[in-house]
């Protein structure tokens, strides 16, 4: 008879990254360690408002708990690989999330606001034809910790630069957040929801629902869930006024066609007269930018309280698309405006550092092997 193999000593369980816990999660964590749940508020304030990651510096928490936290938990933000600043003040962070993958986060300063554009996935599975993130393929969802830590990192590193770190909430740098970076946020629902709750929590970032915008290509069932659980502002990437063209540009349309998507948007708004859905429409020369298509878009949006963001296409190598000329964009906009639809042409920001819409590529170890497929097609 063989004697049993000697048991290896058990490795310590990996420390739980507390960045990923919203208020309810933090309470549950504390309870499971026989601690009082009201400490959740203190911890959230230390982490998200004060930017403190060393448990030993959390002075209103008992020494015992501080010691215990430092043994069982961690506060680990993604590692900053590079930080670039554009001539227009736009900043882009490249953040390492694991050995093979990096994501991008962009801060866009404006006169009356500072908007942070954050990523929700490493790469993207949706395969929209005109998006460079799509080319990179898809690797994985970001954890709640990795999503919220983008806001944490941008907020506190800019505060440090400005020397306003100690002032807490009063000196808040980031006033708006858009989930318009890499990935489809509604395909990473639970983690995005936790991060959204932290953005809105007064003990963390205290942003109003109006100032947090989730951008989606239109995952209809998840839209209904979001409306129920955390109805932040919504932007929908439409890009085509009819199903035939949208099937081509945004393949997700084959699953959730325009009629279903528009109805989901109507449900999202409900009877709140003040709310509007932002419709995003990237203008591609000769593809979706004709006056006829503008009129079709007017017709489609007739029953939806919407404002339209026209996005000049940001080209990238081998995209196969060209940006629409300025006069075409203006003519398209004019038709929408004449029909009473509030329409703005989005300014391209940070394009000298590849931080503009659709240029975020990060570094993705593609599990969907999409890069190979594209290179086979394009040569
Ligand atoms: N998956 C989400 C969020 C990421 S994309 C969504 O589809 O909404 C954020 C916005 O940038 C979308 O409207 C997207 O269509 C747009 N975009 C993608 N590639 C672009 C490009 N090359 N030029 C301009 N806008 C682009």
């Amino acid at each position: 008879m063989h004697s049993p193999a000697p048991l290896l000593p058990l490795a310590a369980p990996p420390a739980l990254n507390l960045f990923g816990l919203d208020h309810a999660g933090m309470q549950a964590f504390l309870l499971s360690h026989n601690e009082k749940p009201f400490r959740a508020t203190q911890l959230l304030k230390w982490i998200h408002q004060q930017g403190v990651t060393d448990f030993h510096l959390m002075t209103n928490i008992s020494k015992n708990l501080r010691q215990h936290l430092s043994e069982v938990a961690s506060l680990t933000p993604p590692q900053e690989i590079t930080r670039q600043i554009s001539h227009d003040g736009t900043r882009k962070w490249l953040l390492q999330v694991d050995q093979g993958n990096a994501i991008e986060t962009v801060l866009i300063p404006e006169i009356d606001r500072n908007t942070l554009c954050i990523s929700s996935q490493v790469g993207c599975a949706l395969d929209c034809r005109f998006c460079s993130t799509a080319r990179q393929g898809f690797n994985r969802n970001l954890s709640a910790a990795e999503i919220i830590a983008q806001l944490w990192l941008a907020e506190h590193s800019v505060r440090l630069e400005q020397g306003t770190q100690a002032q807490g909430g009063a000196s808040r740098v980031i006033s708006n957040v858009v989930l318009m970076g890499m990935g489809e946020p509604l395909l990473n629902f639970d983690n995005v929801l936790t991060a959204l709750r932290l953005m809105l929590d007064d003990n963390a970032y205290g942003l109003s629902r109006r100032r947090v915008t989730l951008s989606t290509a239109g995952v209809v069932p998840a839209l209904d869930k979001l409306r129920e659980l955390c109805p932040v502002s919504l932007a929908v990437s439409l890009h085509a006024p009819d199903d035939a063209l949208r099937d081509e540009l945004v393949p997700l349309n084959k699953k959730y066609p325009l009629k279903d998507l528009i109805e989901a948007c109507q449900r999202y708004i409900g009877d709140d007269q003040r709310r509007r859905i932002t419709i995003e429409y990237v203008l591609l020369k000769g593809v979706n930018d004709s006056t006829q298509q503008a009129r079709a878009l007017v017709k489609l949006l007739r029953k939806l309280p919407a404002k339209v963001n026209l996005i000049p296409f940001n080209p990238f190598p081998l995209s196969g698309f060209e940006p629409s000329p300025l006069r075409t964009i203006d003519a398209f906009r004019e038709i929408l405006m004449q029909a009473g639809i509030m329409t703005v042409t989005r300014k391209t920001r940070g394009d000298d550092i590849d931080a503009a819409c659709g240029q975020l590529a990060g570094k993705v170890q593609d599990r969907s092997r999409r890069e190979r497929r594209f290179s086979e097609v394009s040569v």
Side-chain angles (χ1 to χ4, degrees), residues 132-169:
S132 73
T133 301
R135 288 294 166 90
Q136 297 251 318
F138 175 73
N139 186 282
R140 68 171 175 88
N141 282 333
L142 291 177
S143 65
E146 289 163 337
I147 299 170
I148 201 67
Q150 295 170 64
L151 176 53
W152 181 90
L153 195 112
E155 174 71 34
H156 294 289
S157 61
V158 176
R159 272 197 216 173
L160 264 181
E161 272 175 37
Q162 295 177 347
T164 50
Q165 182 65 18
Q167 292 161 35

Side-chain angles (χ1 to χ4, degrees), residues 127-285:
D127 212 2
C128 296
R129 290 294 183 267
F130 48 84
C131 180
S132 73
T133 301
R135 288 294 166 90
Q136 297 251 318
F138 175 73
N139 186 282
R140 68 171 175 88
N141 282 333
L142 291 177
S143 65
E146 289 163 337
I147 299 170
I148 201 67
Q150 295 170 64
L151 176 53
W152 181 90
L153 195 112
E155 174 71 34
H156 294 289
S157 61
V158 176
R159 272 197 216 173
L160 264 181
E161 272 175 37
Q162 295 177 347
T164 50
Q165 182 65 18
Q167 292 161 35
S171 61
R172 191 160 74 193
V173 173
I174 288 147
S175 59
N176 295 62
V177 175
V178 293
L179 278 100
M180 287 185 193
M182 294 168 75
E184 168 49 52
L186 292 185
L187 291 180
N188 183 12
F189 193 89
D190 292 345
N191 294 341
V192 164
L193 183 66
T194 301
L196 288 176
R197 287 187 165 143
L198 281 166
M199 290 174 207
L200 304 190
D201 191 332
D202 283 337
N203 296 309
Y205 299 91
L207 297 172
S208 79
R209 283 196 281 138
R210 247 176 347 105
R211 290 177 176 272
V212 176
T213 302
L214 182 144
S215 177
T216 177
V219 188
V220 166
L223 271 175
D224 287 320
K225 230 165 108 185
L226 186 70
R227 169 176 56 101
E228 241 172 70
L229 298 174
C230 196
V232 291
S233 298
L234 190 67
V236 171
S237 292
L238 207 68
H239 312 312
D242 60 79
D243 280 320
L245 180 59
R246 196 164 190 268
D247 283 351
E248 287 293 314
L249 297 177
V250 183
L252 182 70
N253 194 68
K254 293 179 197 148
K255 197 159 180 195
Y256 305 114
L258 282 169
K259 181 173 175 296
D260 298 359
L261 178 55
I262 298 291
E263 283 172 9
C265 290
Q266 286 164 336
R267 289 194 294 277
Y268 199 89
I269 297 256
D271 44 22
D272 187 342
Q273 302 286 331
R274 288 160 309 165
R275 296 197 88 183
R276 296 238 167 304
I277 304 262
T278 301
I279 296 293
E280 296 165 279
Y281 197 103
V282 174
L283 283 159
L284 306 163
K285 184 178 172 185

Side-chain angles (χ1 to χ4, degrees), residues 105-123:
T105 303
V106 178
L107 176 59
I108 306 148
E110 286 168 282
I111 293 167
D112 57 341
R113 66 181 84 171
N114 285 322
T115 303
L116 189 72
C117 177
I118 66 178
S119 299
S120 55
Q121 296 181 313
V122 183

Side-chain angles (χ1 to χ4, degrees), residues 239 245 249 281 284-290 293 320-322 324:
H239 312 312
L245 180 59
L249 297 177
Y281 197 103
L284 306 163
K285 184 178 172 185
V287 174
N288 67 353
D289 62 353
S290 72
Q293 284 160 322
F321 294 106
E322 284 173 66
S324 303

